[in-house]
Amino acid sequence: SSEYDITILEKTATTITLSSASTSVQEGQNITFTGRLTRNDTGAGLSGATVGIYEGRNITGDVFMASGTTDASGYYSITWVAVKLDALSWVLETFAKYAGSTTLKSSTSSEYDITILEKTATTITLNAPTSSTYKWSTVTFTGRLIRNDTGAGVSGVVISMYDKDLLFDDYLVSGATDSNGNFSVAWTAWPSADDFDDTVEVYAKFDGSGTLASSSSTQYTIGIVGVGTTLILNPPPSEVQEDNIVNFTGRLTRNDTGAGVISTRIKVYDA
């Protein structure tokens, strides 16, 4: 056949920049990456393009962190929650990357070092509770949560109580710390708090917050026992005429307090 000349049109080169509001960020807090993606031929911003943020010094290779889309002028703003990505370092070597398109070349920004500030360790103390309690009675758990760096109490955070189990720990109750980090949480000891026995292996837990690490307390065992009762039958008549009504009277009391037990059905039997 005849020959035809075909000109291959090279993709247009692009440039992506990266900057950050800070060179360090507390673990668990947000950090925002900003920058711009432009065409090299005209300098115009590229709109609607996907930009990815990566960590490039990880021992397993580049790690994807977050992505976003450029605006009408090619600018982007991407927010990421700071976590440690490199097992060997708290310093992240971040960069932005545009993967390109059918007419535009890919581009990668300069690297930007960001230091992840480790969360502050905490210690939670659970005061020793009673070693045994009656079913349906109230047990009050008390203790304190402090920061390890200053020893100051941590205020206004949730403390949860759990029963330690083989597979999954059972949630019991929760409450908040006061201005000094102290907590006081009341729990009703239900009859089947543990599926396997009549004890609970209880501990307190703080799940952590934006700048504070989680912590768990020492574990204590509480036995849950039934409340003993005493039933008194007052002497009935020694003789009664056939077809006459006999009224049986008496009282049911708790052995722990001596209080009467109300609204309980009592059955009378012929021994």
Side-chain angles (χ1 to χ4, degrees):
S1 71
S2 301
E3 293 181 350
Y4 291 92
D5 291 341
I6 298 175
T7 301
I8 305 300
L9 302 176
E10 186 179 4
K11 289 185 177 183
T12 302
T14 62
T15 297
I16 188 169
T17 61
L18 171 67
S19 61
S20 172
S22 175
T23 58
S24 64
V25 61
Q26 185 77 45
E27 184 183 11
Q29 295 295 294
N30 290 341
I31 187 169
T32 300
F33 299 96
T34 59
R36 193 182 188 210
L37 177 65
T38 58
R39 299 171 58 105
N40 287 11
D41 55 352
T42 64
L46 293 170
S47 65
T50 299
V51 173
I53 305 296
Y54 294 83
E55 199 279 308
R57 196 162 51 192
N58 194 286
I59 59 175
T60 59
D62 297 344
V63 176
F64 172 78
M65 297 167 58
S67 64
T69 305
T70 57
D71 65 15
S73 299
Y75 291 99
Y76 65 87
S77 179
I78 301 173
T79 299
W80 175 68
V81 179
V83 295
K84 186 180 182 182
L85 296 177
D86 194 322
L88 302 179
S89 175
W90 285 91
V91 178
L92 305 182
E93 198 166 83
T94 61
F95 63 89
K97 183 177 181 179
Y98 167 58
S101 69
T102 56
T103 59
L104 297 170
K105 287 185 177 181
S106 63
S107 55
T108 301
S109 73
S110 300
E111 293 180 340
Y112 196 97
D113 283 356
I114 296 177
T115 301
I116 306 296
L117 304 176
E118 187 175 4
K119 287 187 176 184
T120 302
T122 62
T123 297
I124 187 169
T125 302
L126 175 63
N127 297 325
T130 180
S131 60
S132 65
T133 188
Y134 290 112
K135 296 176 182 179
W136 303 116
S137 63
T138 299
V139 178
T140 299
F141 300 110
T142 61
R144 190 176 188 226
L145 176 68
I146 62 170
R147 298 171 56 106
N148 287 11
D149 55 350
T150 64
V154 180
S155 65
V157 297
V158 175
I159 303 298
S160 299
M161 306 301 303
Y162 289 89
D163 171 28
K164 185 71 174 179
D165 268 343
L166 294 176
L167 298 178
F168 302 101
D169 295 348
D170 298 321
Y171 168 80
L172 300 180
V173 70
S174 62
T177 57
D178 64 16
S179 58
N180 294 314
N182 297 305
F183 63 89
S184 179
V185 184
W187 171 66
T188 301
W190 61 80
S192 299
D194 193 303
D195 293 332
F196 301 103
D197 54 36
D198 291 326
T199 65
V200 289
E201 290 71 39
V202 67
Y203 67 93
K205 183 179 181 182
F206 168 55
D207 286 330
S209 66
T211 60
L212 298 173
S214 62
S215 57
S216 296
S217 74
T218 301
Q219 179 179 303
Y220 293 95
T221 299
I222 301 175
I224 301 176
V225 297
V227 178
T229 59
T230 297
L231 179 61
I232 297 174
L233 175 64
N234 296 326
S238 59
E239 293 182 355
V240 62
Q241 185 68 47
E242 185 179 6
D243 292 331
N244 283 358
I245 295 175
V246 179
N247 290 322
F248 297 99
T249 62
R251 192 180 187 215
L252 176 66
T253 58
R254 295 172 57 111
N255 290 357
D256 57 342
T257 64
V261 179
I262 66 172
S263 303
T264 302
R265 181 179 295 275
I266 303 298
K267 295 181 179 180
V268 179
Y269 293 89
D270 175 16

